[in-house]
Every structure is written in structure tokens, then in C-alpha cells.
Amino acid sequence: MARVFNFSAGPAMLPEEVLVQAQLEMLDWQGTGMSVMEMSHRGKEFMSIAEQAEADLRELLSIPENYKVLFLQGGASMQFAMVPLNLLRGRTQADYLNTGLWSEKAVAEAKKYCQVNVAADAKPNKYTTVPPRKSWRCNGEAAYLHYTPNETINGLEFQTVPEVDIPIVADMSSTLLSRPLEVSKFAAIYAGAQKNIGPAGLTLVIIRDDLLDISIPGTPTMLVYKTHVEQQSMYNTPPTYAWYLAGLVFKWLKNQGGLAVMGERNRRKAELLYSTIDNSEFYGNPVDPNYRSWMNVPFTIAKPELEKVFLQEAKAAGLVTLAGHRSVGGFRASIYNAMPEAGVQTLVNFMNDFANRNG
Ligand code: PMP
């Protein structure tokens, strides 16, 4: 079967060139006579793959020298615990912005370890916009501010980094690498890989090196950032194949022209989709245009009874995984880096045609 345009929120599409290269190297990585999956993580071959991946990521994001890059497991969900366990640093309170369902999960986990102050809450407006900065109630005693720059389910994305005077921690699972980023504005950034980075099973953490000295006593060794910093993310066996594939994705991004080029491409893709929705009476998206996500575009149709038909016909047209998250319904098109502009164009052509026939 021909490859489809897969709008899944994650695990998501990977660049075809990356998959082809992985296929070519599957049985014999660069004359070693073995697959990357079969290599010792401590051997010089895998070490070179690991080091190159980190170097390419550092170049893509211009990561300053005083930041460590970790290649971990446990998903972004494990970071919901690792962040308070490591970054409270003797304090007992933290500020969180609640802008969607992933923020809610981060808040719930942090409450096990500290007093959480929700400095701004978008829930009352159903996560369609972020309360204005001047209304936020930040806590002077907070160790850090945690937020979710892009809410994968609700399709709400900050277009700028919040201005606060405490360390900022960001769950960038569904936005990292989608556009240029000023890493130095953050104390720590984390992201599950399965959207813009590579396959599931790998979690990236980028953390300022002066924040690594204290974790809550009793924190399991595996949940202490310093453990992984001191062992170059090889305290235990890392997810070697996912790390390798992420490295191929980083090379692909560099070949595309880097994050400025990707950002422009992603902006065009999102604009095309939102303008199709806004110019139609048939489709709707409730999110404040100032906070609309470039990566995850939820939408509804005027006749919800046709949702199943929409999904069936879309699938027949090679457009798959467009159902909205089970908690919000409707549809969602996730248009990460690996979704080509042609995929979004095919989707909007289908949407216009469907509306003409059913609207
Ligand atoms: N945060 C965000 C913003 C997400 O989109 C996701 C996954 N969709 C998670 C956290 C949870 O990630 P994981 O499944 O890797 O734990």
C-alpha cells in the first residue's frame, strides 16, 4: 500500500527519508555487520551515534554550553514527577499554568511533592485561550514555573515565552523542534520523542547545569537528573534504537535547512488549515487565534452525525488518524515536522469537497 498521510498526535509520522535510511542500515550499520539494535550501548559504534545525535541537536537548537542534554525513558509523564523531585531544591511550592489536559496531569503529579499554585487557569474558558499575563497570580516562594507551551489535545499554543522572574520549566512534547527556540530562557525543557523527534520510548531533557545539585531525599536513583548527567544518559541501558532514529531525524532537519525553515513551513501548513476552517461555515475551531497551535489543529463539523462518514471517506483518500482525542471528540489534525505541505493540501482539498457535498 502507498504511504498515507497520518495525522496522529503521536506516535506520529516520521520523515520518509529517515525510514528509508533506517531500512538500508537495518541489517548492517556502516559495515559493522550488525543492526544498531544489536550493538552494545557502550561500544564505540553506538557511542559515536549517541554523540553525533547530541551534537546535531545542540546545533539545531543552539543549546548553550551550560545546558545538559539527556536521552531518557519514561515518557513526558515521568518528567511530571522528575521535575518537582529535582527542581524544588529545598522549596515547597511551585507555580503551574493550567492550559489544557497535559497541564492538568503535570499539576496532579506535582501535588504529590509540593504545594502547587495554579498561577493562571484556562479551564474556565474551556482551554480556548490563556488568561492575560497581568491576571496571573504568581507565588513569590515558588521554586519554578511549569507550563505546557503546546497543549496537544486542546490545540492551544503559546506564541511567546511567558515573562516571569523564576526558573521556567516547559513540557515541549508536541512543539520542540517545530520552530526556533531560545533555550536560555528555560531552566529545563522536556519532550517525549514520538511527535517531532523520533519513535516512542525516548524522552529528551535539556536542563541548565546549575540546577542539578539537590533532589528530594529518597528520590529513586533513576529519577535523579544528576544520575543521568554523570553517566551521559547511560546509567542503565538507554533506548538505543530510538536514540539512533532521533539522530537520523536531527540530520534530516539539518538537511531541510534547520528550525527556521521548519518554522516557516509549519506556519504555512497551520495557516492553510486554519484559513480553510475559518472560511467555511461547516468547520469550526474554538481556540483564540492568538493561541492556536501550529502542530495540533482540533476542529468540529456543523453536522456531528456525519463524523463517522468524514473519517471513513478521509481514510479512503489516504488521510488517517483524524479523530479528536477521546476526551474532546470532533477531529484533530496533527501536522508535525514530518507531515509534508502536500499532506495538509490534500486534507484541505478533502475538507472543502466534503463540506460542498454535505454542508
Ligand atoms: N505532555 C504532552 C504535551 C503530550 O502531548 C504528551 C503525550 N501526548 C504527554 C505529555 C505524555 O507523554 P508520554 O506519553 O510520552 O508520557
Side-chain angles (χ1 to χ4, degrees):
M1 182 178 175
R3 279 179 59 76
V4 292
F5 292 120
N6 177 5
F7 293 89
S8 170
M13 274 181 93
L14 285 165
E16 195 166 321
E17 294 93 318
V18 165
L19 295 177
V20 168
Q21 187 172 348
Q23 185 181 37
L24 285 173
E25 295 177 340
M26 176 62 77
L27 297 180
D28 175 16
W29 183 82
Q30 299 194 3
T32 54
M34 61 174 106
S35 168
V36 174
M37 263 182 270
E38 302 169 305
M39 285 175 186
S40 161
H41 56 295
R42 302 198 191 278
K44 72 174 184 342
E45 293 85 3
F46 186 76
M47 292 296 274
S48 75
I49 291 171
E51 282 164 16
Q52 190 61 49
E54 177 172 338
D56 287 336
L57 180 70
R58 283 186 173 275
E59 187 181 328
L60 281 166
L61 282 165
S62 307
I63 300 176
E65 288 267 311
N66 61 328
Y67 283 73
K68 301 292 184 192
V69 177
L70 303 176
F71 292 77
L72 305 182
Q73 300 175 65
S77 301
M78 200 166 85
Q79 296 308 310
F80 295 163
M82 281 180 82
V83 164
L85 283 167
N86 289 276
L87 298 181
L88 284 165
R89 305 174 76 246
R91 295 190 182 234
T92 57
Q93 304 184 42
D95 281 347
Y96 278 67
L97 303 182
N98 181 28
T99 56
L101 293 170
W102 291 111
S103 302
E104 281 186 18
K105 290 210 165 171
V107 166
E109 189 69 12
K111 278 184 176 165
K112 294 184 172 180
Y113 306 106
C114 64
Q115 194 180 319
V116 171
N117 169 49
V118 175
D121 191 358
K123 193 166 187 175
N125 59 48
K126 299 195 169 68
Y127 298 129
T128 54
T129 191
V130 177
R133 174 68 186 88
K134 59 180 183 313
S135 71
W136 297 5
R137 290 182 309 276
C138 294
N139 174 354
E141 295 302 311
Y144 59 83
L145 173 103
H146 177 284
Y147 83 118
T148 312
N150 183 59
E151 283 282 356
T152 320
I153 295 171
N154 307 87
L156 193 70
E157 182 163 23
F158 287 75
Q159 302 301 324
T160 54
V161 180
E163 300 277 339
V164 292
D165 48 19
I166 55 175
I168 300 180
V169 180
D171 172 1
M172 295 212 179
S173 292
S174 48
T175 178
L176 191 68
L177 299 176
S178 67
R179 54 172 103 182
L181 179 71
E182 214 175 316
V183 172
S184 61
K185 289 193 168 173
F186 299 87
I189 291 167
Y190 62 89
Q194 62 272 23
K195 295 132 186 338
N196 267 334
I197 298 163
L202 171 72
T203 311
L204 285 186
V205 175
I206 302 169
I207 185 164
R208 222 173 60 210
D209 64 5
D210 60 301
L211 298 169
L212 297 166
D213 47 348
I214 317 172
S215 53
I216 292 178
T219 300
T221 309
M222 277 291 287
L223 300 189
V224 175
Y225 287 129
K226 204 172 175 186
T227 303
H228 301 288
V229 166
E230 287 176 345
Q231 304 286 328
Q232 288 82 41
S233 306
M234 297 204 191
Y235 170 74
N236 72 327
T237 314
T240 49
Y241 199 73
W243 192 331
Y244 152 75
L245 267 183
L248 296 186
V249 171
F250 302 155
K251 279 265 182 284
W252 178 81
L253 286 169
K254 283 174 62 180
N255 288 338
Q256 301 299 299
L259 299 189
V261 170
M262 294 315 296
E264 269 313 294
R265 195 183 292 172
N266 288 326
R267 190 184 52 73
R268 283 197 301 272
K269 281 154 49 184
E271 262 176 28
L272 177 60
L273 193 42
Y274 286 115
S275 65
T276 302
I277 293 168
D278 290 344
N279 293 330
S280 140
E281 311 244 298
F282 192 70
Y283 298 105
N285 168 288
V287 179
D288 176 350
N290 295 320
Y291 287 97
R292 280 176 164 179
S293 169
W294 287 13
M295 293 285 103
N296 311 95
V297 182
F299 59 96
T300 52
I301 53 177
K303 295 181 180 164
E305 66 276 16
L306 292 181
E307 282 181 4
K308 265 207 173 113
V309 181
F310 181 98
L311 290 174
Q312 278 161 4
E313 291 188 10
K315 189 171 179 197
L319 305 162
V320 306
T321 334
L322 281 162
H325 188 267
R326 57 189 183 280
S327 63
V328 295
F331 304 101
R332 172 175 52 169
S334 295
I335 48 176
Y336 300 118
N337 283 337
M339 173 61 66
E341 291 188 89
V344 180
Q345 188 62 58
T346 308
L347 174 63
V348 303
N349 292 348
F350 170 79
M351 288 168 70
N352 286 331
D353 179 53
F354 190 87
N356 286 339
R357 286 185 286 113
N358 299 289

